[in-house]
Amino acid sequence: MRRVNGLATVGRALTCGGAVEKRLAQAALMSTCSSSSSNYHIFSQKLADRLGLSRPSLVRRVAGTMLFSVAASSMAQDALAKEKPRSEKFLPKEVVLYQYEACPFCNKVKAFLDYYSIPYKIVEVNPISKKEIKWSDYKKVPILKVDGEQMVDSSDIIDKLFHRINPDSSIRDGEEKKWREWVDNHLVHVLSPNIYRSTSEALESFDYITTHGNFSFTERLVAKYAGAAAMYFVSKKLKKKHNITDERAALYEAAETWVDALNGRHYLGGSKPNLADLAVFGVLRPIRYLTSGKDMVEHTRIGEWYGRMENAVGESARIKE
């Protein structure tokens, strides 16, 4: 009878959303984070005490089932958020992105390509000479070439790719459109005054830019120090142009505005990211591990959403040459 009652309790714990399930799930998750068998035995014993089970073999089978159930549930949630293989109707032979590594608009396009697992090559454009895009009449980045076809403007690029991947779908969600426009018209303008806010942050930003960018050794030195100095003063003009009085306050407000828009959802798109999620994530990705990005995560609620997006977008689809 004790065994039957214990199993009945297991059933209730696995199917109900109460405190018992939460405590057991938390214990299960902690146990899966360690390779030590002692944690598993501790969890098994605690489970036995809680459920009134006495046979060790039965306890271990129940514990193992719960551990597997929790792990499988977590994996399933990640799989749902990550877009699966591309449509068979969109299988380009070559995708090439002409970019600046730190450009927020370029990173919007990369976030889309990574999320949809579209392999692409990178051509890093020298911001001084721009010799890599002399062939194009369009002198800004990003430029995307898909099997030789030129696409320009990050939002237009994403719209065209989305329609090719989903030929039977259309982007009609007013909320999604609203927040994509918010990214282009507001969020990106908050970033420069923050990453160049002080001389030390300007140098930090240009160290990242010159390390990842297409510069010769001499250009790297000149760009790092002259560029950092120039952008420090330019950022002050941008701050005035966009009516920003406190750079960090503006960044934190933008982050909180985005979290409020989620309204308790994992993503703006619900169970998986939509194009607005990818746009916000894309423009924030270059600053995430700079001082400004670290401050943003520390002082706002955006960190949990950003972590989910990192998992959903996954590894870069870039083809290394």
Side-chain angles (χ1 to χ4, degrees), residues 101-102 124 195-196 198-217 219-229 231 286 289-291:
E101 179 66 28
E124 190 68 26
I195 64 176
Y196 305 120
S198 64
T199 53
S200 61
E201 286 186 78
L203 282 170
E204 176 192 41
S205 298
F206 263 86
D207 185 55
Y208 174 84
I209 291 169
T210 56
T211 300
H212 293 83
N214 183 10
F215 297 92
S216 68
F217 177 75
E219 287 174 335
R220 185 176 296 123
L221 289 177
V222 172
K224 179 176 178 179
Y225 293 98
M231 286 308 300
Y289 296 101
L290 297 178
T291 299

Side-chain angles (χ1 to χ4, degrees), residues 24-84:
L24 294 177
Q26 289 168 352
L29 286 171
M30 286 189 289
S31 296
T32 59
C33 293
S34 173
S35 60
S36 170
S37 62
S38 62
N39 283 347
Y40 175 75
H41 290 302
I42 292 170
F43 172 65
S44 299
Q45 187 57 53
K46 288 183 178 179
L47 181 62
D49 294 341
R50 178 64 183 83
L51 301 180
L53 299 175
S54 58
R55 288 179 54 189
S57 60
L58 177 60
V59 173
R60 284 193 291 271
R61 286 198 296 272
V62 172
T65 299
M66 292 186 66
L67 294 177
F68 176 79
S69 176
V70 172
S73 175
S74 178
M75 291 172 65
Q77 188 174 26
D78 288 344
L80 178 64
K82 175 67 175 177
E83 198 68 28
K84 287 298 117 184

Side-chain angles (χ1 to χ4, degrees), residues 104-105 107-108 183 187-188 191 279-287:
F105 298 106
N107 277 278
K108 273 174 56 183
V183 171
L187 182 58
V188 293
L191 302 184
V280 176
F281 176 74
V283 302
L284 291 181
R285 190 155 57 168
I287 78 160

